[in-house]
Amino acid sequence: MTGLDYKKIYDSEDFKETYLHEREDFGAMYSKEETVFRVWAPFAEQVEICLYHTGTEEEEGAGFIEKRFMIQIEKGLWQCTVPGDWDGTYYTYRVEKEGRVTECIDPYAKACGANGQRGMVVNLKTTNPSGWDKDANWRQMCPDTVIYELHVKDFSYHKDSGVKPEYRGKYLAFTQKGTKGAKKQKRIGRGSTGLDYLKSLGITHVHLLPAFDYASVDEIGLEEQFNWGYDPMNYNIPEGSYATDARRGEVRIREFKQMVQALHSAGIGVVMDVVYNHTWSAEKSSFQTLAPYYYYRQREDGELSNGSACGNETASERKMFRQYMVQSVLYWAREYHIDGFRFDLMGLHDTQTMNEIRRELDKAFPNKKILVYGEPWIADQSPMEEGFYPAVKKNVEKLDEQIGIFCDDTRDAIKGSVFLEEEPGFVNGKTGMEKAIASSVGAWCDGSEGWKPVAPSQLITYVSAHDNFTLWDKLVLTSDKKAEFREKREDILAMNRMCAGIVFTCMGTPFFQAGEEFARTKNGDENSYQSSPEINCLDWARKEEYEELVDYYRGLIGLRSQIAFYKDKSIQAVKRLHFIKMEKQVVEFTIDNGYGNGELWDMLYIVYNANGENYLTELPEGQWQTLADGEGADKWKRGFFKKAEPSVSGKVTITPKSIAVFGKKV
Ligand code: CA
């Protein structure tokens, strides 16, 4: 049968009525007495379950145990119950169709052997670290989220990470407390690395680049391998190269949970980067073996479309795949206590699917606001079925108020386009950007660019992520062509502080790439997805070199957490913003921060000066306190603790390339 033959069948009402099954119990359902295997393979003539001692043929103790025929219990639904305790046994499905037999992993597998070739039956209870029950009660209470985007290997690969060598690049690196950099630090609070450092920064969530099982790294190969991991293999299993033993299926599960537990103990939530929009290969994927063409979006001619620009794209509008996505997300939230999901190329998913994910998460976790956000764009043409809307920026209004989108308009307005290397933004010299910056502050709820969020809660504000240049590199490239990426320059530092100052005073949820706060550089590598770990990893020595910039970020995060306005992401809150000036590379505005709950400051006055010179402005009537300026972002703390901060009034000077925040009681 061709792709077109399949498409006609999948589009038919008859197929939709008889072959689609709404149920949650797919995969290997373990108990001590028996394991039930259940899989969906609508056109298979025969399916067998094969049991093995190991995850691959190339390891010690390898060998075939037995195979059994599965029975079709409903149309397309195959099942086999194998009596006995099979915990730790590896398995595959053998699917016979049109005279061909293909062996594949269970797409619902919860554990697997090295490199994800075979699933593993697992007693999940035995994978829980001690105290895991208590972790289940962990709740992220902070309504003002600050997201830190981090790659598991980047976090601890560097020799100065202070993490013990056997944990470097692994999940377990997050469990080590008390790590320090190489340099002796005098000032209290400085010098920390690893988990302690994350805690000191004040971020509320760590967002991990793909940590489910991906294909591009040989899990039993050399430690020098590196990939971001946007090539999904097994959606419901942690990646094996971050585990201390990739061969034993239960190890990566336990260690992943230990990582989550450690972050939770430090008061930090965990967001997973999920890449349901395509699979590393369609041809070799178990989806394609079990239900040819079903899980993938098809063009009119029946062939696979490629909206991801990675060879294929999945079809969220098809019921069994939508159900797969919803259940996969729920599984991570329940089993691994995950606190948020970031959807890669969310524009390839339909808005109905995204809203259903939001609804199901809220239903399953009524007391915990699990984050849902994603990239509201696609990478290439995508023929989504009629009647469905892609979750792209222009359709943001069709998304739930609690589904966020990365805001490329804000990102590019602040520091320049990600596609044009030398093009600057507001901070680094582009003129005429004042209105775009004001819109960024108000989370684009003014609809000025032809799209309009339901509320500021839908916006993720950022100037750097794993894609494209790091913020530092972009600032270097736009400031002086001859600049060295590793040169410490005051002018670039000022612009870096200013970018952060804007991000943290916008209404949307602040997000930044790990290391942005210590001038992370990849030496101008714009797309480091498979560059060396040396290029990619967090340089902990650089963190010590740029501690003052770190302090600035820490100050901004702390200040933001003290302002009620930034916790209010309702559409009504936008009315509390009042713009005074938007011209000549200056943006000035006030925020009505009086919520009647004993706020530290009822009114805020904020100035962005992108000029290369001082800017003189006049504060509205009254005595103001300087909370942050170009020099320091922790000035608010002085008044906070001593209540004796000298006040300012009337004319104030805003230094070149800086932001200033003033606050006053009414
Ligand atoms: Ca893998």
Side-chain angles (χ1 to χ4, degrees):
M1 289 211 308
T2 66
L4 192 56
D5 296 334
Y6 280 113
K7 188 174 188 315
K8 282 178 186 157
I9 294 173
Y10 295 145
D11 289 346
S12 72
E13 285 311 309
D14 180 50
F15 179 82
K16 289 177 185 170
E17 274 162 33
T18 51
Y19 275 93
L20 305 184
H21 305 283
E22 219 166 297
R23 57 193 304 162
E24 288 183 17
D25 46 356
F26 289 101
M29 269 75 56
Y30 169 87
S31 74
K32 275 213 176 325
E33 296 71 38
E34 61 181 32
T35 294
V36 180
F37 297 90
R38 196 173 295 125
V39 68
W40 188 62
F43 302 107
E45 286 140 26
Q46 186 58 64
V47 185
E48 288 168 286
I49 173 89
C50 306
L51 303 172
Y52 298 91
H53 288 295
T54 56
T56 62
E57 273 310 291
E58 291 81 39
E59 60 197 270
E60 218 186 301
F64 182 71
I65 303 172
E66 62 174 291
K67 65 178 182 189
R68 293 187 180 215
F69 287 116
M70 298 184 81
I71 298 159
Q72 194 166 184
I73 52 165
E74 280 174 61
K75 276 211 161 158
L77 199 62
W78 299 79
Q79 184 176 308
C80 179
T81 303
V82 189
D85 186 346
W86 295 96
D87 183 20
T89 303
Y90 295 83
Y91 72 101
T92 58
Y93 296 127
R94 282 178 92 241
V95 183
E96 195 178 326
K97 196 166 53 62
E98 294 176 351
R100 262 182 66 197
V101 177
T102 316
E103 196 167 337
C104 69
I105 188 168
D106 179 1
Y108 289 88
K110 295 183 168 76
C112 67
N115 292 320
Q117 300 300 318
R118 290 174 183 164
M120 190 189 93
V121 179
V122 62
N123 178 1
L124 284 165
K125 284 200 183 94
T126 64
T127 65
N128 294 345
S130 72
W132 188 242
D133 287 355
K134 289 198 188 83
D135 185 83
N137 297 323
W138 190 83
R139 296 278 182 274
Q140 178 55 250
M141 297 305 288
C142 175
D144 183 35
T145 305
V146 177
I147 305 167
Y148 191 72
E149 188 204 38
L150 184 58
H151 183 277
V152 174
K153 193 163 189 164
D154 286 358
F155 177 60
S156 59
Y157 187 81
H158 195 269
K159 61 177 173 36
D160 292 341
S161 65
V163 170
K164 51 182 153 186
E166 61 270 34
Y167 286 2
R168 274 186 217 153
K170 307 289 183 192
Y171 298 123
L172 290 181
F174 289 87
T175 66
Q176 196 178 338
K177 287 181 191 155
T179 55
K180 295 238 181 296
K183 214 163 99 184
K184 286 253 182 307
Q185 296 279 349
K186 281 183 192 142
R187 201 165 140 177
I188 295 165
R190 284 193 177 175
S192 67
T193 61
L195 184 73
D196 286 8
Y197 169 68
L198 296 182
K199 193 175 173 179
S200 81
L201 208 48
I203 53 159
T204 64
H205 288 74
V206 156
H207 150 159
L208 297 172
L209 260 66
F212 54 78
D213 181 30
Y214 60 80
S216 53
V217 163
D218 179 1
E219 296 180 352
I220 44 178
L222 298 171
E223 284 302 323
E224 291 77 53
Q225 299 175 88
F226 182 89
N227 205 284
W228 283 343
Y230 291 91
D231 50 332
M233 217 170 168
N234 292 298
Y235 285 113
N236 298 329
I237 305 174
E239 162 60 16
S241 64
Y242 305 143
T244 57
D245 185 350
R247 292 182 179 85
R248 284 163 50 219
E250 72 283 8
V251 175
R252 61 178 80 187
I253 301 176
R254 183 179 307 115
E255 293 179 353
F256 193 111
K257 288 177 175 175
Q258 285 177 271
M259 168 183 69
V260 173
Q261 189 178 37
L263 282 160
H264 283 175
S265 314
I268 299 169
V270 181
V271 177
M272 283 201 39
D273 193 336
V274 286
V275 190
Y276 295 109
N277 67 76
H278 74 280
T279 59
W280 68 290
S281 156
E283 203 187 315
K284 295 180 200 160
S285 147
S286 55
F287 282 154
Q288 199 64 343
T289 303
L290 292 163
Y293 295 92
Y294 181 82
Y295 292 94
Y296 298 94
R297 200 161 281 146
Q298 293 177 277
R299 300 190 314 230
E300 278 303 303
D301 65 3
E303 289 313 305
L304 300 186
S305 56
N306 184 22
S308 69
C310 294
N312 62 74
E313 64 177 294
T314 55
S316 60
E317 67 271 42
R318 285 188 171 158
K319 192 176 165 183
M320 291 300 281
F321 187 63
R322 171 180 300 165
Q323 179 175 270
Y324 184 89
M325 280 177 70
V326 173
Q327 287 176 12
S328 177
V329 165
L330 285 170
Y331 173 69
W332 284 101
R334 286 186 179 125
E335 186 63 33
Y336 290 90
H337 305 171
I338 293 298
D339 309 285
F341 297 90
R342 174 266 191 199
F343 289 78
D344 187 63
L345 296 182
M346 186 169 71
L348 291 176
H349 305 315
D350 63 289
T351 53
Q352 207 177 312
T353 298
M354 293 311 302
N355 289 334
E356 187 171 328
I357 286 171
R358 175 75 273 166
R359 243 186 347 261
E360 290 298 321
L361 282 172
D362 290 343
K363 210 156 79 186
F365 300 91
N367 300 317
K368 178 176 176 181
K369 188 52 84 183
I370 292 182
L371 302 178
V372 174
Y373 58 96
E375 293 181 310
W377 49 73
I378 58 179
D380 211 332
Q381 296 289 326
S382 172
M384 189 176 284
E385 273 179 39
E386 252 186 72
F388 294 91
Y389 300 95
V392 291
K393 188 167 66 179
K394 73 174 164 63
N395 291 329
V396 67
E397 277 178 296
K398 293 186 168 65
L399 288 170
D400 187 281
E401 194 171 322
Q402 298 303 330
I403 295 178
I405 61 164
F406 283 95
C407 186
D408 52 348
D409 292 286
T410 298
R411 177 194 70 196
D412 292 354
I414 296 175
K415 53 86 191 164
S417 165
V418 294
F419 301 113
L420 306 166
E421 179 175 321
E422 288 170 24
E423 178 163 294
F426 175 68
V427 169
N428 37 356
K430 191 173 177 182
T431 53
M433 297 304 289
E434 299 84 356
K435 288 221 159 59
I437 292 297
S439 296
S440 302
V441 172
W444 296 88
C445 293
D446 56 10
S448 62
E449 282 296 311
W451 58 279
K452 202 169 183 277
V454 181
S457 53
Q458 285 190 315
L459 267 254
I460 302 286
T461 311
Y462 75 117
V463 286
S464 77
H466 64 281
D467 274 321
N468 314 114
F469 295 113
T470 66
L471 175 62
W472 181 264
D473 287 353
K474 173 76 181 176
L475 292 174
V476 167
L477 287 163
T478 49
S479 67
D480 179 351
K481 282 176 199 165
K482 290 185 196 112
E484 296 280 336
F485 292 111
R486 297 202 170 257
E487 188 185 347
K488 193 170 183 175
R489 279 178 36 174
E490 284 309 317
D491 58 337
I492 297 177
L493 276 167
M495 288 192 280
N496 191 324
R497 288 194 296 271
M498 187 177 179
C499 287
I502 297 176
V503 167
F504 284 97
T505 46
C506 283
M507 293 188 79
T509 300
F511 166 106
F512 61 110
Q513 184 191 23
E516 185 195 296
E517 76 283 14
F518 46 89
R520 183 172 182 175
T521 176
K522 292 182 192 168
N523 294 333
D525 189 340
E526 192 185 2
N527 185 8
S528 66
Y529 80 102
Q530 56 177 7
S531 302
S532 68
E534 285 77 16
I535 281 285
N536 279 288
C537 73
L538 289 185
D539 179 347
W540 290 101
R542 194 170 171 89
K543 181 243 157 190
E544 297 191 291
E545 194 186 342
Y546 287 84
E547 291 275 14
E548 279 165 5
L549 187 57
V550 173
D551 287 343
Y552 197 82
Y553 275 76
R554 200 180 276 122
L556 287 171
I557 295 169
L559 172 58
R560 188 178 167 102
S561 74
Q562 300 296 334
I563 299 173
F565 171 74
Y566 289 114
K567 298 177 172 62
D568 179 3
K569 293 197 166 57
S570 67
I571 187 70
Q572 291 78 14
V574 181
K575 294 197 194 98
R576 292 171 173 270
L577 279 175
H578 180 58
F579 288 90
I580 312 287
K581 181 172 171 169
M582 288 183 273
E583 57 175 10
K584 295 181 181 163
Q585 289 171 272
V586 170
V587 175
E588 278 182 82
F589 56 99
T590 59
I591 294 170
D592 172 4
N593 188 49
Y595 283 80
N597 293 319
E599 280 73 34
L600 293 168
W601 313 286
D602 299 302
M603 189 63 78
L604 296 159
Y605 197 88
I606 299 181
V607 189
Y608 304 155
N609 176 22
N611 285 290
E613 288 115 46
N614 281 339
Y615 167 68
L616 193 67
T617 191
E618 187 156 2
L619 292 171
E621 210 179 28
Q623 295 294 313
W624 295 79
Q625 187 194 340
T626 305
L627 308 179
D629 61 17
E631 189 185 75
D634 57 359
K635 297 193 170 178
W636 58 275
K637 281 187 189 166
R638 297 181 200 168
F640 191 60
F641 294 117
K642 293 181 197 158
K643 294 184 177 167
E645 170 72 357
S647 57
V648 288
S649 61
K651 288 198 165 58
V652 284
T653 301
I654 313 298
T655 55
K657 306 275 183 197
S658 77
I659 67 131
V661 182
F662 304 94
K664 74 164 182 178
K665 278 287 208 191
V666 167

